[in-house]
Amino acid sequence: MQMKTAVITGAGSGIGRAAAQAMLAAGWQVALAGRRVDALAETAGGHAAALVAPADVTDAGSVEACFAAVMAKWGRVDFLFNNAGLSLPAAPIDEIAVEDWLQLSATNITGMFLVARAAFGQMRRQSPQGGRILNNGSISAHVPRPGSVPYTMSKHAVTGLTRTLCLDGRAFNIAAGQIDIGNAATAMAAAFPKGVPQADGQIRAEPVMDVDEVARMVVHLAGLPLEVNVPFVTIMARDMPYIGRG
């Protein structure tokens, strides 16, 4: 039985690294996409089924070259975890530099579009046709944290991408969904257990969860048959202030 092929962006650290390693452990061929080759190689750990595939998701040519490398090695793409993203320090909108907004949106919005575009096109053209796209959303795709205009805007845009891919993919046997993650223990969430601003202006510690729980969810979603879809799933530290945030 032929191994299935996955592409994971942002695979050099955090959620992307955990998901990539879990996919490899589950028997997938995994292309590791990201800007830092050394970090991608560390994720790969010499695994025979891993392909280090450098890519800058903000650059269309780089994204296309990444997918071309995957096709040259394995001939198809069955699953995309569209994961790469970044955040900014909390601040009111009038204190956010336009340059910082443009940098974030280039990754979190344009990058998501370019990678989904490349994967969708390949899944549409290959035989047998089809595949699954999973976008990394966020709790912020539903409700914001204080001072998070750029990040929250970008994650609401991801939801729009997911909904439209769900619809447009039907004709080509492509399933699309979104995983909204809350407080996974990665470098991005390092400050949460120490205390972060809340909607009422207080600073309070928030619980985090093991990032491997997110990785296990990604593996589960990747393995679903294409006639089944999970458009949105939320996975979060149980007691984080999401239900009732604000």
Side-chain angles (χ1 to χ4, degrees):
M1 186 175 181
Q2 186 177 4
M3 293 174 68
K4 289 191 174 182
T5 298
V7 177
I8 297 180
T9 63
S13 62
I15 291 168
R17 170 173 286 180
Q21 292 175 338
M23 295 285 288
L24 288 166
W28 287 71
Q29 298 171 149
V30 183
L32 312 173
R35 290 179 296 179
R36 297 178 296 135
V37 175
D38 56 341
L40 298 175
E42 187 176 338
T43 298
H47 201 295
L51 172 66
V52 173
D56 178 352
V57 301
T58 70
D59 180 87
S62 180
V63 170
E64 292 296 334
C66 172
F67 277 82
V70 176
M71 293 304 298
K73 186 169 180 65
W74 291 318
R76 64 180 290 111
V77 175
D78 297 292
F79 177 69
L80 165 68
F81 184 27
N82 202 3
N83 167 70
L86 56 86
S87 61
L88 296 175
I93 189 170
D94 59 318
E95 296 179 13
I96 296 166
V98 173
E99 293 78 11
D100 290 341
W101 155 250
L102 292 173
Q103 181 186 19
L104 180 141
S105 61
T107 299
N108 292 16
I109 301 176
T110 302
M112 281 276 181
F113 166 82
L114 292 175
V115 175
R117 177 179 183 272
F120 191 100
Q122 181 52 49
M123 292 171 180
R124 178 180 178 179
R125 293 190 301 268
Q126 64 195 12
S127 182
Q129 189 180 61
R132 185 179 303 275
I133 295 171
L134 179 65
N135 295 324
N136 187 343
S138 172
I139 298 297
S140 292
H142 302 272
V143 289
R145 287 186 176 277
S148 67
V149 164
Y151 188 77
T152 300
M153 284 181 66
S154 73
K155 292 304 183 178
H156 277 66
V158 172
T159 297
L161 171 65
T162 300
R163 290 184 183 279
T164 310
L165 291 177
C166 281
L167 180 61
D168 292 351
R170 293 174 183 173
F172 309 108
N173 201 31
I174 298 171
Q178 182 169 312
I179 183 167
D180 295 323
I181 302 162
N183 290 17
T186 65
M188 189 177 288
F192 292 175
K194 302 172 185 176
V196 288
Q198 304 296 312
D200 61 4
Q202 296 186 36
I203 304 294
R204 287 197 296 273
E206 293 190 14
V208 295
M209 64 177 171
D210 191 332
V211 70
D212 288 341
E213 299 301 335
V214 178
R216 278 189 277 272
M217 179 66 77
V218 172
V219 172
H220 171 68
L221 295 171
L224 292 173
L226 291 179
E227 60 268 23
V228 176
N229 197 26
V230 179
F232 296 93
V233 62
T234 299
I235 182 168
M236 55 178 268
R238 187 196 65 199
D239 296 336
M240 71 169 290
Y242 164 44
I243 305 301
R245 183 190 292 183

